[in-house]
Amino acid sequence: MKDIRRSTCGTAARLAGTSVLALGLIAGAAQAQGVTADSFGADFSAMGQLKDVAAKGKGKVGVLLPDTASSARYTSFDEPYLKKAFKAAGLSADDLIITNAQGSEADQLTQAQTDISQGATVLLIDPISSGGGAAVEKYAKEHGVAVIDYDRITLGGSRDYYISFDNEYVGELIGKGMEQCLSDWNIEKPNILVMAGSPDDNNATLFKQGYMSVLKPKFDDGSYTNAGEPAGTWDPSVARTTFEQQFTAHQDMNAVVTPNDDNANAVISYLKTLKVPPKAFPTTGQDATVTGLQNVLTGYQCGTVYKPIYLEAQAAAALALYMRAGDTPPDGLVNGKVNDSQGGMDVPSILLKPIWVTPENMADTVVKDGFVDTSKLCAGDAADACKAAGIGN
């Protein structure tokens, strides 16, 4: 083989050997590039490419989930999908620790400390707040443990990477969804209340940046009226109270940007007490909850942003496995940067693309992916709307 590589002349057979070797080296180099942010799908097959990486790694992976109050996703989807992703890559169940802090920053720090004491070399954290996340990351760094921010970035933190859906693009989808809905529902002289998520959640900030990038030009040129931008929250009861106060003060309001399905449902519940009919007062949302999807089907919500969590879980697991093995993740996996405004740095990131779901594509997205139980989705008032959307037939 040494002669083949170094010879500048020789027989055709030796030249052919050189070609074969070159092709082999190219194939090997391509394989070494690893998975990309676009590799993952619903079948989890891409994780099988990481078995050598998993076998090479040392230590455990600790996953720190935040709560069950802000969203049911963490127990229903994130935890089982993360387990499935790591298992598909060949990581032993004994090398994976998943905990949920149930909304307690103190418990999340304790869980991180426990994971590290049990041999974790990488932590995936979805921080309850940036302050709490920064404390976890400081402790991890002091103990030589790598950290990945999962779904929410820790402002002022010291993580190595961040993974989430492209949250500004989530907001753009909400803004464009509102724009389309105003047209489809024939809303004249749109007067829109702009609501937001909690101000201490950087994702909420990015969501709002996204939908304001769509709506502000319309406000500026007079096509739409901005009815107000009240303080944000992720608490549906607070969102309802805020909306009631704003609606009382702005009786000509006829649409509202709501940042997620739960807040949208709180608003819709109030609108229903006022006997507001379907397709008369647009709202928006994200998370593709059963209630949110039902509101979309029945004409009370324009659409909802669907974030296939199985993509996020696989990308996070892949990144954690590369870090656990001491390898630099492939360029195709880490496909963006997100600014940590408090830390004054751009954080290398994996940013995944979400989907705007309406009755027209619901069957081919959340239903096809098994993200929602159709027996629950199509119950009660949504039954006829499901049939019209080609769901459950």
Side-chain angles (χ1 to χ4, degrees), residues 7-15:
S7 177
T8 59
C9 61
T11 65
R14 292 172 68 186
L15 289 173

Side-chain angles (χ1 to χ4, degrees), residues 338-361:
V338 171
N339 184 255
D340 175 354
S341 57
Q342 289 187 19
M345 66 182 73
D346 288 330
V347 182
S349 304
I350 301 176
L351 301 176
L352 304 164
K353 291 295 184 184
I355 302 166
W356 181 248
V357 174
T358 66
E360 287 69 32
N361 67 346

